Tab-separated table of all heavy atoms in Angstrom:
chain	number	residue	atom	x	y	z
A	23	LEU	N	-2.525	20.655	-13.431
A	23	LEU	CA	-3.080	19.437	-12.835
A	23	LEU	C	-4.561	19.569	-12.527
A	23	LEU	O	-5.216	18.584	-12.233
A	23	LEU	CB	-2.286	19.106	-11.443
A	23	LEU	CG	-0.908	18.942	-11.624
A	23	LEU	CD1	-0.332	18.667	-10.281
A	23	LEU	CD2	-0.444	17.963	-12.638
A	24	THR	N	-5.095	20.785	-12.645
A	24	THR	CA	-6.552	20.987	-12.499
A	24	THR	C	-7.401	21.012	-13.828
A	24	THR	O	-6.932	21.812	-14.669
A	24	THR	CB	-6.839	22.297	-11.654
A	24	THR	OG1	-6.213	23.284	-12.351
A	24	THR	CG2	-6.230	22.192	-10.267
A	25	PRO	N	-8.335	20.203	-14.000
A	25	PRO	CA	-9.097	20.262	-15.253
A	25	PRO	C	-9.735	21.630	-15.338
A	25	PRO	O	-10.068	22.267	-14.408
A	25	PRO	CB	-10.174	19.138	-15.056
A	25	PRO	CG	-9.607	18.222	-13.993
A	25	PRO	CD	-8.812	19.203	-13.124
A	26	LYS	N	-9.940	22.061	-16.555
A	26	LYS	CA	-10.563	23.313	-16.904
A	26	LYS	C	-12.004	23.398	-16.416
A	26	LYS	O	-12.327	24.471	-15.886
A	26	LYS	CB	-10.595	23.637	-18.364
A	26	LYS	CG	-9.164	23.908	-18.933
A	26	LYS	CD	-9.341	24.275	-20.373
A	26	LYS	CE	-7.952	24.556	-21.017
A	26	LYS	NZ	-8.001	24.827	-22.317
A	27	ARG	N	-12.747	22.370	-16.521
A	27	ARG	CA	-14.192	22.530	-16.222
A	27	ARG	C	-14.668	21.630	-15.054
A	27	ARG	O	-15.868	21.555	-14.802
A	27	ARG	CB	-15.028	22.123	-17.489
A	27	ARG	CG	-14.859	23.093	-18.517
A	27	ARG	CD	-15.588	22.822	-19.796
A	27	ARG	NE	-15.093	21.665	-20.445
A	27	ARG	CZ	-14.491	21.711	-21.750
A	27	ARG	NH1	-14.523	22.880	-22.401
A	27	ARG	NH2	-13.921	20.688	-22.266
A	28	ILE	N	-13.728	20.961	-14.226
A	28	ILE	CA	-14.239	20.182	-13.193
A	28	ILE	C	-13.514	20.737	-11.945
A	28	ILE	O	-12.266	20.612	-11.781
A	28	ILE	CB	-13.868	18.649	-13.462
A	28	ILE	CG1	-14.521	18.278	-14.742
A	28	ILE	CG2	-14.249	17.889	-12.206
A	28	ILE	CD1	-14.092	16.816	-15.102
A	29	ASP	N	-14.266	21.073	-10.886
A	29	ASP	CA	-13.664	21.517	-9.672
A	29	ASP	C	-13.549	20.341	-8.808
A	29	ASP	O	-14.253	19.261	-8.859
A	29	ASP	CB	-14.663	22.570	-8.959
A	29	ASP	CG	-14.363	23.899	-9.566
A	29	ASP	OD1	-13.339	24.158	-10.138
A	29	ASP	OD2	-15.374	24.655	-9.562
A	30	GLY	N	-12.580	20.419	-7.852
A	30	GLY	CA	-12.374	19.320	-6.908
A	30	GLY	C	-11.659	18.099	-7.323
A	30	GLY	O	-11.621	17.179	-6.643
A	31	LEU	N	-10.901	18.305	-8.503
A	31	LEU	CA	-10.253	17.178	-9.058
A	31	LEU	C	-8.873	17.567	-9.466
A	31	LEU	O	-8.683	18.696	-9.963
A	31	LEU	CB	-10.991	16.634	-10.362
A	31	LEU	CG	-10.428	15.480	-11.061
A	31	LEU	CD1	-10.485	14.228	-10.265
A	31	LEU	CD2	-11.153	15.236	-12.345
A	32	LEU	N	-7.902	16.736	-9.191
A	32	LEU	CA	-6.485	16.891	-9.664
A	32	LEU	C	-6.193	15.651	-10.447
A	32	LEU	O	-6.508	14.538	-10.148
A	32	LEU	CB	-5.564	16.983	-8.379
A	32	LEU	CG	-5.642	18.268	-7.679
A	32	LEU	CD1	-5.002	18.154	-6.251
A	32	LEU	CD2	-5.152	19.520	-8.383
A	33	THR	N	-5.345	15.885	-11.482
A	33	THR	CA	-4.823	14.805	-12.254
A	33	THR	C	-3.302	14.644	-12.043
A	33	THR	O	-2.624	15.571	-11.614
A	33	THR	CB	-5.070	14.994	-13.781
A	33	THR	OG1	-4.331	16.155	-14.187
A	33	THR	CG2	-6.553	15.117	-14.108
A	34	SER	N	-2.803	13.400	-12.253
A	34	SER	CA	-1.346	13.184	-12.012
A	34	SER	C	-0.986	11.953	-12.956
A	34	SER	O	-1.815	11.382	-13.559
A	34	SER	CB	-1.062	12.929	-10.559
A	34	SER	OG	-1.702	11.747	-10.150
A	35	GLY	N	0.326	11.851	-13.104
A	35	GLY	CA	0.878	10.738	-13.760
A	35	GLY	C	0.693	10.980	-15.350
A	35	GLY	O	0.686	12.076	-15.794
A	36	ARG	N	0.489	9.906	-16.113
A	36	ARG	CA	0.417	10.097	-17.564
A	36	ARG	C	-0.850	10.637	-18.079
A	36	ARG	O	-0.917	10.914	-19.265
A	36	ARG	CB	0.704	8.711	-18.143
A	36	ARG	CG	2.115	8.296	-17.943
A	36	ARG	CD	2.426	6.946	-18.568
A	36	ARG	NE	3.870	6.720	-18.430
A	36	ARG	CZ	4.344	5.467	-18.273
A	36	ARG	NH1	3.552	4.460	-18.212
A	36	ARG	NH2	5.664	5.354	-18.051
A	37	CYS	N	-1.810	10.844	-17.263
A	37	CYS	CA	-3.103	11.322	-17.782
A	37	CYS	C	-3.214	12.773	-17.802
A	37	CYS	O	-4.294	13.367	-18.181
A	37	CYS	CB	-4.294	10.776	-16.899
A	37	CYS	SG	-4.267	11.284	-15.238
A	38	ILE	N	-2.147	13.523	-17.438
A	38	ILE	CA	-2.225	15.049	-17.478
A	38	ILE	C	-2.206	15.481	-18.919
A	38	ILE	O	-1.776	14.766	-19.822
A	38	ILE	CB	-1.007	15.615	-16.678
A	38	ILE	CG1	0.375	15.303	-17.359
A	38	ILE	CG2	-1.067	15.165	-15.269
A	38	ILE	CD1	1.504	16.091	-16.842
A	39	SER	N	-2.610	16.736	-19.095
A	39	SER	CA	-2.567	17.284	-20.378
A	39	SER	C	-1.380	18.119	-20.522
A	39	SER	O	-0.912	18.804	-19.657
A	39	SER	CB	-3.889	18.186	-20.552
A	39	SER	OG	-3.750	18.901	-21.713
A	40	HIS	N	-0.710	17.995	-21.704
A	40	HIS	CA	0.500	18.774	-21.906
A	40	HIS	C	0.686	19.010	-23.532
A	40	HIS	O	0.057	18.236	-24.289
A	40	HIS	CB	1.614	17.994	-21.383
A	40	HIS	CG	1.748	16.547	-21.822
A	40	HIS	ND1	2.034	16.137	-22.990
A	40	HIS	CD2	1.542	15.465	-20.991
A	40	HIS	CE1	2.071	14.758	-23.035
A	40	HIS	NE2	1.695	14.409	-21.831
A	41	GLU	N	1.596	19.868	-23.827
A	41	GLU	CA	1.922	20.059	-25.188
A	41	GLU	C	2.699	18.970	-25.823
A	41	GLU	O	3.466	18.237	-24.949
A	41	GLU	CB	2.549	21.409	-25.366
A	41	GLU	CG	1.727	22.561	-24.935
A	41	GLU	CD	2.033	23.837	-25.506
A	41	GLU	OE1	2.874	23.918	-26.456
A	41	GLU	OE2	1.471	24.881	-25.067
A	42	SER	N	2.717	18.739	-27.030
A	42	SER	CA	3.428	17.552	-27.708
A	42	SER	C	4.909	17.595	-27.424
A	42	SER	O	5.503	16.627	-27.218
A	42	SER	CB	3.112	17.460	-29.061
A	42	SER	OG	3.574	18.596	-29.710
A	43	LEU	N	5.454	18.827	-27.253
A	43	LEU	CA	6.890	18.937	-27.040
A	43	LEU	C	7.296	18.334	-25.735
A	43	LEU	O	8.357	17.845	-25.525
A	43	LEU	CB	7.376	20.410	-27.166
A	43	LEU	CG	8.852	20.775	-27.038
A	43	LEU	CD1	9.556	20.075	-28.060
A	43	LEU	CD2	9.007	22.187	-27.071
A	44	ALA	N	6.356	18.480	-24.702
A	44	ALA	CA	6.687	17.918	-23.403
A	44	ALA	C	6.410	16.499	-23.178
A	44	ALA	O	6.482	15.933	-22.140
A	44	ALA	CB	5.959	18.810	-22.335
A	45	ALA	N	5.792	15.928	-24.192
A	45	ALA	CA	5.132	14.538	-24.054
A	45	ALA	C	6.212	13.558	-23.614
A	45	ALA	O	5.929	12.630	-22.758
A	45	ALA	CB	4.580	14.066	-25.385
A	46	GLN	N	7.429	13.645	-24.195
A	46	GLN	CA	8.438	12.505	-23.831
A	46	GLN	C	8.783	12.621	-22.413
A	46	GLN	O	8.840	11.641	-21.696
A	46	GLN	CB	9.658	12.696	-24.776
A	46	GLN	CG	9.429	12.177	-26.191
A	46	GLN	CD	9.137	10.686	-26.236
A	46	GLN	OE1	9.150	10.004	-25.277
A	46	GLN	NE2	8.902	10.236	-27.514
A	47	SER	N	9.179	13.887	-21.923
A	47	SER	CA	9.667	13.954	-20.551
A	47	SER	C	8.491	13.789	-19.621
A	47	SER	O	8.771	13.241	-18.405
A	47	SER	CB	10.391	15.253	-20.352
A	47	SER	OG	9.409	16.334	-20.467
A	48	ALA	N	7.266	14.066	-19.888
A	48	ALA	CA	6.188	14.001	-18.996
A	48	ALA	C	5.754	12.499	-18.801
A	48	ALA	O	5.129	12.131	-17.750
A	48	ALA	CB	4.993	14.830	-19.525
A	49	ARG	N	6.249	11.656	-19.682
A	49	ARG	CA	5.813	10.224	-19.481
A	49	ARG	C	6.940	9.373	-18.846
A	49	ARG	O	6.725	8.260	-18.511
A	49	ARG	CB	5.497	9.646	-20.900
A	49	ARG	CG	4.342	10.253	-21.477
A	49	ARG	CD	3.938	9.732	-22.887
A	49	ARG	NE	4.589	8.432	-23.213
A	49	ARG	CZ	4.571	7.940	-24.408
A	49	ARG	NH1	4.103	8.678	-25.413
A	49	ARG	NH2	4.987	6.796	-24.675
A	50	ALA	N	8.071	10.063	-18.455
A	50	ALA	CA	9.142	9.368	-17.744
A	50	ALA	C	8.734	9.147	-16.409
A	50	ALA	O	7.989	9.865	-15.772
A	50	ALA	CB	10.508	10.181	-17.821
A	51	MET	N	9.177	7.981	-15.756
A	51	MET	CA	8.709	7.650	-14.469
A	51	MET	C	8.991	8.631	-13.401
A	51	MET	O	8.200	8.989	-12.533
A	51	MET	CB	9.165	6.175	-14.025
A	51	MET	CG	8.580	5.124	-14.835
A	51	MET	SD	6.701	5.136	-14.841
A	51	MET	CE	6.371	4.945	-13.078
A	52	ALA	N	10.217	9.148	-13.390
A	52	ALA	CA	10.653	10.195	-12.430
A	52	ALA	C	9.717	11.428	-12.484
A	52	ALA	O	9.255	11.909	-11.439
A	52	ALA	CB	12.049	10.583	-12.557
A	53	THR	N	9.419	11.828	-13.705
A	53	THR	CA	8.560	12.998	-13.877
A	53	THR	C	7.155	12.671	-13.398
A	53	THR	O	6.550	13.490	-12.758
A	53	THR	CB	8.607	13.443	-15.284
A	53	THR	OG1	9.856	13.636	-15.788
A	53	THR	CG2	7.715	14.640	-15.515
A	54	CYS	N	6.683	11.444	-13.730
A	54	CYS	CA	5.358	11.077	-13.225
A	54	CYS	C	5.273	10.999	-11.747
A	54	CYS	O	4.222	11.490	-11.070
A	54	CYS	CB	4.946	9.704	-13.718
A	54	CYS	SG	4.530	9.635	-15.534
A	55	MET	N	6.331	10.587	-11.060
A	55	MET	CA	6.320	10.515	-9.611
A	55	MET	C	6.321	12.028	-9.050
A	55	MET	O	5.748	12.276	-8.074
A	55	MET	CB	7.616	9.782	-9.082
A	55	MET	CG	7.443	8.274	-9.365
A	55	MET	SD	8.591	7.226	-8.707
A	55	MET	CE	10.101	8.090	-8.743
A	56	ALA	N	7.108	12.879	-9.601
A	56	ALA	CA	7.086	14.258	-9.179
A	56	ALA	C	5.847	14.885	-9.242
A	56	ALA	O	5.359	15.648	-8.454
A	56	ALA	CB	8.176	15.059	-9.893
A	57	ILE	N	5.127	14.732	-10.503
A	57	ILE	CA	3.857	15.331	-10.691
A	57	ILE	C	2.798	14.719	-9.740
A	57	ILE	O	2.081	15.555	-9.159
A	57	ILE	CB	3.292	14.985	-12.138
A	57	ILE	CG1	4.239	15.800	-13.139
A	57	ILE	CG2	1.896	15.352	-12.364
A	57	ILE	CD1	4.077	15.328	-14.577
A	58	SER	N	2.868	13.439	-9.421
A	58	SER	CA	2.046	12.879	-8.516
A	58	SER	C	2.248	13.367	-7.058
A	58	SER	O	1.256	13.565	-6.225
A	58	SER	CB	2.132	11.348	-8.487
A	58	SER	OG	1.659	10.820	-9.754
A	59	HIS	N	3.496	13.580	-6.731
A	59	HIS	CA	3.808	14.210	-5.441
A	59	HIS	C	3.216	15.557	-5.291
A	59	HIS	O	2.646	15.885	-4.267
A	59	HIS	CB	5.300	14.293	-5.230
A	59	HIS	CG	5.837	14.692	-3.960
A	59	HIS	ND1	7.117	14.778	-3.607
A	59	HIS	CD2	5.192	15.015	-2.798
A	59	HIS	CE1	7.325	15.169	-2.433
A	59	HIS	NE2	6.022	15.249	-1.841
A	60	ALA	N	3.331	16.370	-6.423
A	60	ALA	CA	2.805	17.658	-6.276
A	60	ALA	C	1.292	17.579	-6.226
A	60	ALA	O	0.607	18.443	-5.425
A	60	ALA	CB	3.187	18.458	-7.538
A	61	ALA	N	0.638	16.776	-6.837
A	61	ALA	CA	-0.813	16.619	-6.838
A	61	ALA	C	-1.271	16.181	-5.397
A	61	ALA	O	-2.228	16.690	-4.941
A	61	ALA	CB	-1.316	15.502	-7.849
A	62	GLY	N	-0.576	15.201	-4.846
A	62	GLY	CA	-0.862	14.930	-3.473
A	62	GLY	C	-0.696	16.006	-2.436
A	62	GLY	O	-1.488	16.143	-1.590
A	63	ALA	N	0.452	16.786	-2.639
A	63	ALA	CA	0.562	18.007	-1.768
A	63	ALA	C	-0.480	18.953	-1.974
A	63	ALA	O	-1.027	19.490	-1.003
A	63	ALA	CB	1.983	18.723	-2.126
A	64	ALA	N	-0.859	19.209	-3.236
A	64	ALA	CA	-1.977	20.254	-3.417
A	64	ALA	C	-3.325	19.659	-2.822
A	64	ALA	O	-4.148	20.458	-2.283
A	64	ALA	CB	-2.110	20.354	-4.942
A	65	ALA	N	-3.547	18.346	-2.926
A	65	ALA	CA	-4.818	17.872	-2.435
A	65	ALA	C	-4.753	17.902	-0.865
A	65	ALA	O	-5.851	18.250	-0.298
A	65	ALA	CB	-4.926	16.294	-2.776
A	66	ALA	N	-3.670	17.638	-0.252
A	66	ALA	CA	-3.556	17.763	1.236
A	66	ALA	C	-3.829	19.245	1.670
A	66	ALA	O	-4.604	19.513	2.582
A	66	ALA	CB	-2.204	17.301	1.682
A	67	LEU	N	-3.192	20.223	0.889
A	67	LEU	CA	-3.405	21.610	1.330
A	67	LEU	C	-4.809	22.005	1.080
A	67	LEU	O	-5.432	22.732	1.865
A	67	LEU	CB	-2.464	22.502	0.496
A	67	LEU	CG	-0.981	22.416	0.925
A	67	LEU	CD1	-0.073	23.207	-0.051
A	67	LEU	CD2	-0.828	23.075	2.269
A	68	ALA	N	-5.401	21.603	-0.077
A	68	ALA	CA	-6.884	21.933	-0.362
A	68	ALA	C	-7.708	21.389	0.792
A	68	ALA	O	-8.605	22.105	1.231
A	68	ALA	CB	-7.200	21.411	-1.675
A	69	SER	N	-7.470	20.207	1.133
A	69	SER	CA	-8.298	19.553	2.182
A	69	SER	C	-8.178	20.270	3.565
A	69	SER	O	-9.166	20.644	4.255
A	69	SER	CB	-7.972	18.179	2.364
A	69	SER	OG	-8.696	17.555	3.428
A	70	SER	N	-6.931	20.596	3.893
A	70	SER	CA	-6.596	21.279	5.209
A	70	SER	C	-7.183	22.659	5.268
A	70	SER	O	-7.528	23.143	6.288
A	70	SER	CB	-5.141	21.208	5.521
A	70	SER	OG	-4.490	22.099	4.725
A	71	LYS	N	-7.197	23.339	4.146
A	71	LYS	CA	-7.652	24.747	4.064
A	71	LYS	C	-9.232	24.853	3.588
A	71	LYS	O	-9.673	25.829	3.559
A	71	LYS	CB	-6.771	25.617	3.088
A	71	LYS	CG	-5.393	25.683	3.551
A	71	LYS	CD	-4.544	26.429	2.496
A	71	LYS	CE	-3.161	26.575	2.882
A	71	LYS	NZ	-2.763	27.830	3.224
A	72	ASN	N	-9.696	23.678	3.377
A	72	ASN	CA	-11.207	23.571	2.920
A	72	ASN	C	-11.403	24.447	1.651
A	72	ASN	O	-12.230	25.250	1.629
A	72	ASN	CB	-12.009	23.934	4.099
A	72	ASN	CG	-13.546	23.546	3.855
A	72	ASN	OD1	-13.726	22.551	3.141
A	72	ASN	ND2	-14.482	24.223	4.310
A	73	LEU	N	-10.447	24.245	0.700
A	73	LEU	CA	-10.562	25.063	-0.606
A	73	LEU	C	-10.616	23.995	-1.714
A	73	LEU	O	-10.119	22.859	-1.589
A	73	LEU	CB	-9.340	25.827	-0.779
A	73	LEU	CG	-9.025	27.066	0.163
A	73	LEU	CD1	-7.639	27.523	-0.058
A	73	LEU	CD2	-9.960	28.120	-0.101
A	74	PRO	N	-11.201	24.474	-2.827
A	74	PRO	CA	-11.023	23.623	-4.061
A	74	PRO	C	-9.618	23.616	-4.507
A	74	PRO	O	-8.846	24.667	-4.277
A	74	PRO	CB	-11.898	24.179	-5.017
A	74	PRO	CG	-12.233	25.603	-4.570
A	74	PRO	CD	-11.960	25.638	-3.192
A	75	PRO	N	-9.008	22.489	-5.042
A	75	PRO	CA	-7.613	22.527	-5.473
A	75	PRO	C	-7.108	23.646	-6.245
A	75	PRO	O	-6.074	24.179	-6.078
A	75	PRO	CB	-7.544	21.185	-6.216
A	75	PRO	CG	-8.611	20.338	-5.672
A	75	PRO	CD	-9.706	21.332	-5.387
A	76	ARG	N	-7.948	24.196	-7.240
A	76	ARG	CA	-7.501	25.270	-8.040
A	76	ARG	C	-7.340	26.601	-7.325
A	76	ARG	O	-6.604	27.512	-7.757
A	76	ARG	CB	-8.377	25.458	-9.318
A	76	ARG	CG	-9.683	26.074	-8.993
A	76	ARG	CD	-10.550	26.337	-10.263
A	76	ARG	NE	-11.087	25.083	-10.851
A	76	ARG	CZ	-10.603	24.513	-11.988
A	76	ARG	NH1	-9.590	25.038	-12.632
A	76	ARG	NH2	-11.171	23.410	-12.427
A	77	LYS	N	-7.793	26.698	-6.045
A	77	LYS	CA	-7.647	27.909	-5.303
A	77	LYS	C	-6.408	27.902	-4.306
A	77	LYS	O	-6.188	28.830	-3.622
A	77	LYS	CB	-8.919	28.101	-4.399
A	77	LYS	CG	-10.147	28.423	-5.228
A	77	LYS	CD	-10.195	29.687	-5.904
A	77	LYS	CE	-11.462	29.924	-6.600
A	77	LYS	NZ	-11.482	31.235	-7.358
A	78	VAL	N	-5.788	26.755	-4.196
A	78	VAL	CA	-4.508	26.664	-3.347
A	78	VAL	C	-3.376	27.354	-4.049
A	78	VAL	O	-3.139	27.272	-5.282
A	78	VAL	CB	-4.106	25.159	-3.164
A	78	VAL	CG1	-2.979	25.054	-2.408
A	78	VAL	CG2	-5.343	24.371	-2.456
A	79	SER	N	-2.691	28.138	-3.295
A	79	SER	CA	-1.637	28.900	-3.829
A	79	SER	C	-0.403	28.013	-4.204
A	79	SER	O	-0.054	27.109	-3.535
A	79	SER	CB	-1.074	29.927	-2.618
A	79	SER	OG	0.157	30.333	-2.957
A	80	VAL	N	0.188	28.283	-5.514
A	80	VAL	CA	1.268	27.606	-5.906
A	80	VAL	C	2.421	27.705	-5.042
A	80	VAL	O	3.111	26.752	-4.785
A	80	VAL	CB	1.665	28.086	-7.405
A	80	VAL	CG1	2.870	27.453	-7.817
A	80	VAL	CG2	0.449	27.789	-8.325
A	81	SER	N	2.597	28.866	-4.537
A	81	SER	CA	3.789	28.996	-3.537
A	81	SER	C	3.564	28.171	-2.243
A	81	SER	O	4.551	27.646	-1.651
A	81	SER	CB	3.986	30.553	-3.199
A	81	SER	OG	2.851	30.993	-2.540
A	82	ASP	N	2.303	28.032	-1.869
A	82	ASP	CA	2.142	27.119	-0.609
A	82	ASP	C	2.380	25.640	-0.974
A	82	ASP	O	3.018	24.945	-0.273
A	82	ASP	CB	0.687	27.205	-0.161
A	82	ASP	CG	0.382	28.499	0.555
A	82	ASP	OD1	1.283	29.107	0.899
A	82	ASP	OD2	-0.869	28.753	0.771
A	83	ILE	N	2.064	25.271	-2.267
A	83	ILE	CA	2.431	23.926	-2.692
A	83	ILE	C	3.963	23.730	-2.840
A	83	ILE	O	4.441	22.764	-2.388
A	83	ILE	CB	1.746	23.607	-3.952
A	83	ILE	CG1	0.208	23.635	-3.905
A	83	ILE	CG2	2.183	22.289	-4.527
A	83	ILE	CD1	-0.598	23.675	-5.232
A	84	GLN	N	4.630	24.698	-3.395
A	84	GLN	CA	6.068	24.650	-3.549
A	84	GLN	C	6.727	24.590	-2.172
A	84	GLN	O	7.648	23.760	-1.958
A	84	GLN	CB	6.554	25.912	-4.344
A	84	GLN	CG	6.225	25.797	-5.669
A	84	GLN	CD	6.475	27.180	-6.454
A	84	GLN	OE1	6.539	28.219	-5.866
A	84	GLN	NE2	6.734	27.031	-7.718
A	85	ARG	N	6.208	25.359	-1.164
A	85	ARG	CA	6.782	25.356	0.172
A	85	ARG	C	6.720	23.974	0.824
A	85	ARG	O	7.590	23.430	1.351
A	85	ARG	CB	6.113	26.476	0.967
A	85	ARG	CG	6.944	26.864	2.178
A	85	ARG	CD	6.371	28.178	2.890
A	85	ARG	NE	5.114	28.680	2.393
A	85	ARG	CZ	4.920	29.731	1.571
A	85	ARG	NH1	5.824	30.379	1.243
A	85	ARG	NH2	3.605	30.037	1.187
A	86	LEU	N	5.417	23.341	0.607
A	86	LEU	CA	5.229	22.093	1.148
A	86	LEU	C	6.160	21.005	0.581
A	86	LEU	O	6.717	20.196	1.296
A	86	LEU	CB	3.738	21.695	1.120
A	86	LEU	CG	3.436	20.273	1.572
A	86	LEU	CD1	3.702	20.127	3.006
A	86	LEU	CD2	1.941	20.029	1.398
A	87	LEU	N	6.315	21.067	-0.683
A	87	LEU	CA	7.121	20.170	-1.429
A	87	LEU	C	8.586	20.286	-1.056
A	87	LEU	O	9.276	19.331	-0.855
A	87	LEU	CB	7.111	20.307	-2.934
A	87	LEU	CG	5.712	19.895	-3.599
A	87	LEU	CD1	5.639	20.273	-5.028
A	87	LEU	CD2	5.491	18.429	-3.471
A	88	LEU	N	9.060	21.497	-0.843
A	88	LEU	CA	10.468	21.739	-0.356
A	88	LEU	C	10.541	21.272	1.164
A	88	LEU	O	11.636	20.646	1.375
A	88	LEU	CB	10.828	23.274	-0.411
A	88	LEU	CG	10.914	23.724	-1.784
A	88	LEU	CD1	11.126	25.260	-1.777
A	88	LEU	CD2	12.177	23.105	-2.481
A	89	ASP	N	9.560	21.418	1.936
A	89	ASP	CA	9.622	20.859	3.256
A	89	ASP	C	9.724	19.282	3.248
A	89	ASP	O	10.266	18.699	4.203
A	89	ASP	CB	8.364	21.294	4.044
A	89	ASP	CG	8.435	22.792	4.479
A	89	ASP	OD1	9.353	23.398	4.485
A	89	ASP	OD2	7.260	23.275	4.841
A	90	GLN	N	9.123	18.716	2.252
A	90	GLN	CA	9.208	17.231	2.079
A	90	GLN	C	10.412	16.834	1.321
A	90	GLN	O	10.494	15.729	0.835
A	90	GLN	CB	7.896	16.712	1.410
A	90	GLN	CG	6.680	17.029	2.219
A	90	GLN	CD	5.363	16.717	1.598
A	90	GLN	OE1	5.360	16.330	0.382
A	90	GLN	NE2	4.308	16.662	2.357
A	91	GLU	N	11.338	17.729	0.996
A	91	GLU	CA	12.544	17.518	0.347
A	91	GLU	C	12.464	17.102	-1.056
A	91	GLU	O	13.242	16.320	-1.615
A	91	GLU	CB	13.470	16.382	1.142
A	91	GLU	CG	13.733	17.004	2.529
A	91	GLU	CD	14.664	16.039	3.303
A	91	GLU	OE1	15.194	15.012	2.761
A	91	GLU	OE2	14.895	16.305	4.473
A	92	ALA	N	11.424	17.657	-1.720
A	92	ALA	CA	11.249	17.460	-3.211
A	92	ALA	C	12.263	18.393	-3.955
A	92	ALA	O	12.590	19.404	-3.359
A	92	ALA	CB	9.860	17.665	-3.613
A	93	GLU	N	12.666	17.870	-5.034
A	93	GLU	CA	13.670	18.703	-5.855
A	93	GLU	C	12.855	19.595	-6.818
A	93	GLU	O	12.042	19.034	-7.575
A	93	GLU	CB	14.647	17.858	-6.629
A	93	GLU	CG	15.602	17.201	-5.749
A	93	GLU	CD	16.660	16.410	-6.566
A	93	GLU	OE1	17.022	16.910	-7.579
A	93	GLU	OE2	17.120	15.334	-6.152
A	94	LEU	N	12.924	20.888	-6.597
A	94	LEU	CA	12.096	21.783	-7.407
A	94	LEU	C	13.071	22.793	-8.112
A	94	LEU	O	14.145	23.120	-7.562
A	94	LEU	CB	11.226	22.623	-6.632
A	94	LEU	CG	10.061	21.929	-5.801
A	94	LEU	CD1	9.207	23.014	-5.144
A	94	LEU	CD2	9.269	20.961	-6.648
A	95	ARG	N	12.790	23.132	-9.321
A	95	ARG	CA	13.586	24.207	-10.014
A	95	ARG	C	12.618	25.458	-10.086
A	95	ARG	O	11.632	25.463	-10.781
A	95	ARG	CB	13.808	23.722	-11.458
A	95	ARG	CG	14.816	22.530	-11.460
A	95	ARG	CD	15.162	22.272	-12.786
A	95	ARG	NE	15.804	20.847	-12.778
A	95	ARG	CZ	17.059	20.778	-13.299
A	95	ARG	NH1	17.724	21.798	-13.827
A	95	ARG	NH2	17.609	19.584	-13.129
A	96	LEU	N	12.861	26.285	-9.175
A	96	LEU	CA	12.035	27.439	-8.924
A	96	LEU	C	12.765	28.629	-9.758
A	96	LEU	O	13.762	28.843	-9.901
A	96	LEU	CB	12.046	27.930	-7.492
A	96	LEU	CG	11.321	26.846	-6.622
A	96	LEU	CD1	11.445	27.270	-5.163
A	96	LEU	CD2	9.982	26.563	-6.927
């Protein structure tokens, strides 16, 4: 969700980059909502920790999403 060359930015929804094999499932509405939820959680954590989004721990994002009752496959 973090662009390679731009700090401080997260992408979500259909504008994310993915391999062609994942294209169909990544464009489904439920997947778009889940990706957007993760981006929002990452943005909130980055803001609260005063970090750029790419420096936020994935495990912290996962923990927050689980606290918010998101369905994750870990």
Side-chain angles (χ1 to χ4, degrees):
L23 303 180
T24 55
K26 287 182 180 182
R27 293 180 285 245
I28 302 173
D29 282 330
L31 180 68
L32 291 165
T33 61
S34 65
R36 292 183 174 145
C37 66
I38 66 168
S39 176
H40 49 72
E41 298 201 9
S42 60
L43 184 60
Q46 289 294 0
S47 63
R49 291 176 29 193
M51 288 310 297
T53 305
C54 285
M55 290 187 324
I57 293 167
S58 297
H59 187 181
L67 285 171
S69 177
S70 71
K71 295 175 182 251
N72 200 27
L73 293 171
R76 72 176 74 253
K77 297 288 185 182
V78 177
S79 163
V80 172
S81 61
D82 287 348
I83 298 168
Q84 291 171 333
R85 205 172 3 258
L86 178 57
L87 289 170
L88 289 172
D89 288 346
Q90 296 175 352
E91 300 182 6
E93 292 186 33
L94 303 181
R95 295 180 190 243
L96 301 175

